[in-house]
Amino acid sequence: MDDHDDPAPKIQQRLKVFVDALTCPQVGVPGSLSALGMSVTLDDTTAFEDGTCADLAALIAAQPAGTQVFAEVDVVEGSTGIVTATKVESEDAEED
């Protein structure tokens, strides 16, 4: 018999991706990072290793044509299926 005392374990993964789009979270409103056709939620607990979300957004906006920002994104999938970033680390990378 299942007494529901043990919540389903969270699935943790690290994604290494080129960022397609970024919306920074605002107070009370989550943001999102899009890559590989999926959307990852950004919230007030998401850590940005190389500055802030606004710094990453500025880096993406400043990229010349033909280049993208590469990021390593640690994510957790909750029991409802929502994927949330716990850490985002970025670097410039040229598209081949």
Side-chain angles (χ1 to χ4, degrees), residues 16-77:
K16 296 181 179 187
V17 298
F18 286 104
V19 178
D20 295 324
L22 176 71
T23 303
C24 293
Q26 303 297 318
V27 176
V29 180
S32 66
L33 181 148
S34 298
L36 299 173
M38 68 181 290
S39 182
V40 176
T41 299
L42 306 173
D43 62 20
D44 58 352
T45 65
T46 304
F48 288 85
E49 292 292 309
D50 301 312
T52 66
C53 185
D55 293 335
L56 179 56
L59 179 63
I60 291 168
Q63 294 301 300
T67 61
Q68 291 179 286
V69 172
F70 182 80
E72 291 185 14
V73 184
D74 291 349
V75 299
V76 174
E77 182 178 351

